[in-house]
Amino acid sequence: MVRLGLWGDGTSFQDFPQFLGALEKGGVGALELVAMDMKARGMYVCRTLSYKGADFDTVEAPLEERMTNMYGKAAEFWADLRLELLSAGEISGEEKGVSNQIWRLYWSSHQRFFRHMCMSAKVPAVVKLAKEALAENKCVVIGLQSTGEARTEEAVTKYGVEMEDFVSGPRELLLKLVEENYPLPPKPDTFQQGEEKVTEIQRKRHSAQDVSFKGRVRKVAKMEDVSDDDSGDYSPSESSDHESSESDEEFHMCQICNSEEEKSLLLNCSGCSLRVHPSCLTPPWTGMLTDDWSCYSCKKIEGQEMEHDANVADFSKRYDSAVERKLKILDVIRSLDLPNNPLDDIIDQLGGPDKVAEITGRRGMLIRTSDGKGVIYQARNAKEVSMEMINMHEKQQFMDDKKLIAIISEAGSAGVSLHADRRAKNQRRRVHVTLELPWSADRAIQQFGRTHRSNQTSAPQYRLLFTNLGGEKRFASIVAKRLESLGALTQGDRRAGPSLSAFNYDSTYGKKALTMVYRGIMEQDSFPVVPPRCSDNQASIEEFITEAKVALVSVGIIRDATVCNGKVAGKLSGRIVDADMHDVARFLNRLLGLAPDIQNRLFDLFISILDVVLHNARREGQLDSGIVDIKGKNIELKEPPKVMLLFYPFLGSFYFC
């Protein structure tokens, strides 16, 4: 890319890092200027199909009453689960690395869970839009990203191929998180193994002492026999009398000084059978010679064993208690009212696999039984079509007008044409319903492009579905931001392609607005606007601030806070770290884990303050609006055209126009 001449000698930038820094500082406007400059020089060509004729519309899908209650209870459970994991982590003594891994899994599962909940909340609206389109003689393409195949297969493995109802993706996700990551203390078996090792070492030591003692006795006896033989006074009868009157049972060796002594004058350890003179011990033994005497080593071991037994009992109790708490949490999860897998639910409500073409990456599906009393798992290629060709077969069914509804996932968003092709039998206008937006702009364009291609009889109607939950705007926000960057880079215009600019909250202005929200909640500054559903009196604002604090504590935004019975203790409790003060993405992510009411109030407050920030920037002439079309009712030429030389300071280039 050095040959492009954007940096280096003779340009405004000495090297690439300087060029990159200028682009990052200039934002989307800088990207637009680079693309325009390269196009003007004839070094850059980027063609894409115009979206002229395509109809974009955002549709709000309000939560039904049952879904609202379901969502609120799920948010409450996640807050309780967070406290439970904090407590369990303290009890189990997890290492810092393991603890960090658990929390990464917790928050990623938290986001996926509520993303599934948002998708499920939009299922009634999807079904309604699809039926309306079919009534207008159109066909429908429903776009989503995740199919829930992994959760379905796990459920089939646990419960079998026949079940009472469709699998709940959120429930299976929660069960897997707790089953695999709930922190438990070490198992008592590990301590039992340690106890066996101590016993084994003690047995070996006793055995070695016993062997050593017997060896010494045999050695002394042998020396005495040799001495008797050398003197020639040895006689069997005398030896026999000696053994009977002064046997090894009456005389023993001191195992410290190796001298022989009467049994009654030696201390005999009841634990390891050690025999020693009282004066040979360090410190010397001054007590009575008793039969239950224990040496210093055995006393130490006995103390350790008693302490070890107490530790084993304590850890066993802690482990059993933790397992019991884990099982209770799993029972609570199983009792929660949670929605079914959206993909299976939509197919079922729109007539089943015979009516809906599925173009996804999953290998099996759950379908309703003929009697309607349950569901059964079956492979997608049940009709003598290979698994490798099932997506192409389903696509052809849709293009041949045999199926009027198609569902595509990320796996089916490449290499598949579902537009109103003039060569296809199905030339009905496409209604492309986006149930779930992709994470990136290029994937969004890729999926939109399945129904919008050349040689089509009509451009599609795009219906972007959103719930009335403020947190779900996070998914639209990230795509909107990336779509603007993609348009600026490729077309020199951030407005190129499908426009979601209204949802781009992760901007400089959004970060400034979020900081003002947090400072108001932490009572460091006053709000520039009155919070939603609050009157001008201070009491209602303080009540809102208290509710907001409790909510932000429950999702980990406010840290080190003390909460008693659901109320924040103290006027200023906890803190918000500097990194979170302007992190819009995290704010919107965590909003998803709140009950709908407080979630929407916090989001509305954020939007209201963002409007104030944008208004002030526009009034001060600092608002970056990018390329703007100036439209007029009447345009007149005042004087003949003149050739002008324009200079772009950012790029250091001159242009004639």
Side-chain angles (χ1 to χ4, degrees):
M1 294 182 68
V2 176
R3 293 180 295 167
L4 294 176
L6 297 176
W7 61 85
D9 295 338
T11 67
S12 300
F13 308 102
Q14 185 177 357
D15 50 24
F16 176 73
Q18 188 179 357
F19 174 78
L20 179 62
L23 286 182
E24 290 176 344
K25 185 178 179 181
V28 179
L31 300 180
E32 289 176 327
L33 285 176
V34 170
M36 291 169 61
D37 178 63
M38 293 174 66
K39 285 185 175 182
R41 296 187 189 189
M43 66 170 66
Y44 176 58
V45 176
C46 179
R47 295 191 177 100
T48 184
L49 189 64
S50 170
Y51 280 89
K52 186 177 181 180
D55 182 14
F56 282 88
D57 189 19
T58 56
V59 179
E60 185 175 281
L63 269 66
E64 297 179 347
E65 183 179 357
R66 176 174 174 267
M67 190 66 197
T68 301
N69 296 333
M70 194 185 299
Y71 199 103
K73 290 180 180 179
E76 183 180 348
F77 173 81
W78 273 95
D80 293 341
L81 178 61
R82 177 175 170 270
L83 296 178
E84 179 65 32
L85 290 177
L86 284 170
S87 175
E90 292 292 332
I91 294 174
S92 64
E94 292 286 352
E95 296 180 0
K96 186 176 180 180
V98 177
S99 178
N100 290 341
Q101 177 66 15
I102 289 175
W103 288 114
R104 280 194 293 270
L105 289 170
Y106 172 87
W107 289 118
S108 62
S109 300
H110 180 274
Q111 186 174 354
R112 289 199 301 272
F113 176 91
F114 286 105
R115 187 177 175 97
H116 280 301
M117 294 290 286
C118 290
M119 288 175 58
S120 300
K122 292 182 282 188
V123 168
V126 170
V127 173
K128 181 181 178 182
L129 284 174
K131 290 181 177 179
E132 289 176 354
L134 294 178
E136 295 172 359
N137 199 31
K138 300 173 184 176
C139 59
V140 182
V141 176
I142 302 171
L144 49 79
Q145 296 302 299
S146 51
T147 61
E149 179 186 20
R151 305 285 88 83
T152 301
E153 290 184 350
E154 289 170 4
V156 169
T157 302
K158 286 192 291 186
Y159 312 126
V161 295
E162 295 185 8
M163 288 174 273
E164 294 182 1
D165 205 348
F166 293 111
V167 173
S168 171
R171 177 179 287 109
E172 295 302 318
L173 186 148
L174 261 178
L175 288 172
K176 184 176 181 180
L177 173 67
V178 175
E179 286 174 350
E180 297 183 0
N181 300 286
Y182 187 87
L184 294 173
K187 287 186 178 180
D189 294 348
T190 58
F191 295 97
Q192 188 65 30
Q193 292 172 2
E195 182 182 13
E196 292 174 356
K197 291 179 181 178
V198 172
T199 306
E200 180 67 14
I201 292 172
Q202 184 177 354
R203 185 189 65 77
K204 290 182 178 179
R205 185 170 65 82
H206 294 171
S207 176
Q209 290 174 349
D210 188 46
V211 170
S212 175
F213 168 72
K214 291 180 179 179
R216 292 193 189 100
V217 173
R218 284 195 298 269
K219 182 177 181 181
V220 172
K222 184 177 180 180
M223 291 173 64
E224 291 175 350
D225 291 342
V226 171
S227 174
D228 291 341
D229 290 341
D230 289 344
S231 64
D233 297 331
Y234 174 79
S235 69
S237 60
E238 291 177 358
S239 175
S240 176
D241 292 340
H242 177 75
E243 288 175 4
S244 62
S245 61
E246 296 179 2
S247 65
D248 289 342
E249 294 180 359
E250 299 298 329
F251 288 86
H252 292 277
M253 298 289 294
C254 172
Q255 292 176 236
I256 294 179
C257 66
N258 290 331
S259 61
E260 189 176 19
E261 187 61 81
E262 291 184 19
K263 176 182 178 182
S264 59
L265 299 178
L266 295 175
L267 289 167
N268 182 19
C269 178
S270 60
C272 62
S273 300
L274 176 71
R275 296 180 187 273
V276 294
H277 289 106
S279 60
C280 290
L281 293 172
T282 304
W285 177 260
T286 57
M288 298 290 292
L289 299 181
T290 59
D291 293 336
D292 59 349
W293 177 81
S294 297
C295 67
Y296 297 145
S297 298
C298 286
K299 284 183 178 179
K300 184 176 181 181
I301 292 175
E302 288 172 2
Q304 291 175 346
E305 288 178 346
M306 292 177 63
E307 183 180 358
H308 180 267
D309 291 341
N311 287 337
V312 170
D314 180 55
F315 275 97
S316 179
K317 184 178 179 180
R318 288 167 59 187
Y319 179 79
D320 293 341
S321 176
V323 170
E324 184 179 355
R325 292 170 71 178
K326 176 181 176 180
L327 293 176
K328 285 183 179 179
I329 293 174
L330 293 174
D331 289 339
V332 171
I333 294 172
R334 295 187 183 98
S335 67
L336 287 175
D337 184 18
L338 294 173
N340 297 328
N341 180 16
L343 178 56
D344 291 323
D345 211 3
I346 291 172
I347 293 175
D348 181 57
Q349 293 191 43
L350 290 177
D354 293 335
K355 301 288 185 181
V356 182
E358 179 183 340
I359 307 173
T360 67
R362 64 177 187 171
R363 305 178 66 84
M365 63 194 308
L366 288 170
I367 61 171
R368 186 77 61 184
T369 56
S370 56
D371 57 7
K373 295 182 179 180
V375 295
I376 187 170
Y377 181 82
Q378 71 174 27
R380 285 183 57 213
N381 60 333
K383 297 180 179 179
E384 299 180 356
V385 179
S386 67
M387 186 59 68
E388 291 75 15
M389 294 300 296
I390 186 63
N391 279 345
M392 297 306 297
H393 174 75
E394 292 288 287
K395 172 247 179 184
Q396 199 57 44
Q397 293 273 303
F398 179 77
M399 298 299 285
D400 288 344
D401 213 25
K402 295 179 180 178
K403 295 182 180 180
L404 300 181
I405 302 173
I407 298 181
I408 59 174
S409 68
E410 183 180 354
S413 295
V416 177
S417 298
L418 300 174
H419 63 299
D421 196 334
R422 298 179 186 275
R423 298 166 295 181
K425 184 177 180 180
N426 182 5
Q427 296 185 13
R428 305 168 190 253
R429 189 175 189 185
R430 272 53 171 164
V431 177
H432 190 139
V433 181
T434 302
L435 177 66
E436 179 187 16
L437 279 171
W439 284 106
S440 61
D442 57 334
R443 290 180 180 177
I445 295 295
Q446 183 80 292
Q447 192 173 96
F448 291 151
R450 298 309 95 205
T451 53
H452 183 51
R453 307 181 75 82
S454 59
N455 199 39
Q456 61 188 7
T457 58
S458 60
Q461 292 178 320
Y462 291 100
R463 298 291 179 262
L464 310 180
L465 259 65
F466 296 100
T467 63
N468 57 347
L469 292 171
E472 201 202 1
K473 305 300 189 298
R474 184 272 189 271
F475 305 118
S477 174
I478 191 65
V479 177
K481 181 179 180 180
R482 291 171 179 172
L483 280 173
E484 287 190 0
S485 298
L486 185 67
L489 275 173
T490 57
Q491 304 296 315
D493 187 352
R494 70 188 70 180
R495 304 167 303 172
S499 177
L500 294 174
S501 57
F503 297 99
N504 184 11
Y505 306 117
D506 194 2
S507 61
T508 304
Y509 310 108
K511 293 175 181 178
K512 186 176 180 179
L514 180 62
T515 302
M516 296 169 71
V517 170
Y518 283 155
R519 292 184 66 84
I521 291 174
M522 300 306 294
E523 300 180 77
Q524 297 171 352
D525 283 327
S526 59
F527 293 118
V529 297
V530 178
R533 280 184 270 166
C534 290
S535 58
D536 290 335
N537 64 71
Q538 190 62 26
S540 63
I541 296 177
E542 289 180 356
E543 183 181 355
F544 169 77
I545 288 175
T546 302
E547 293 179 10
K549 282 183 179 179
V550 173
L552 295 181
V553 167
S554 69
V555 291
I557 294 293
I558 297 179
R559 310 186 190 187
D560 306 330
T562 303
V563 181
C564 298
N565 299 324
K567 295 184 178 180
V568 177
K571 186 175 182 181
L572 279 175
S573 179
R575 63 191 177 91
I576 300 177
V577 298
D578 293 340
D580 287 347
M581 289 296 288
H582 52 266
D583 194 337
V584 178
R586 174 166 292 184
F587 168 71
L588 295 176
N589 277 344
R590 300 295 171 85
L591 270 189
L592 278 171
L594 298 177
D597 182 64
I598 187 64
Q599 179 181 157
N600 289 336
R601 291 183 72 186
L602 282 171
F603 182 75
D604 290 343
L605 174 63
F606 169 70
I607 292 299
S608 299
I609 296 179
L610 177 59
D611 290 340
V612 172
V613 171
L614 290 172
H615 174 73
N616 292 339
R618 187 179 294 107
R619 186 181 59 189
E620 296 169 3
Q622 298 179 355
L623 182 64
D624 178 15
S625 302
I627 298 174
V628 179
D629 292 329
I630 301 176
K631 298 181 180 180
K633 295 181 179 179
N634 185 24
I635 301 176
E636 296 180 359
L637 188 63
K638 293 291 186 181
E639 55 185 67
K642 295 180 181 179
V643 177
M644 299 179 66
L645 182 64
L646 298 182
F647 175 68
Y648 287 87
F650 177 79
L651 297 172
S653 302
F654 289 91
Y655 296 97
F656 287 101
C657 64

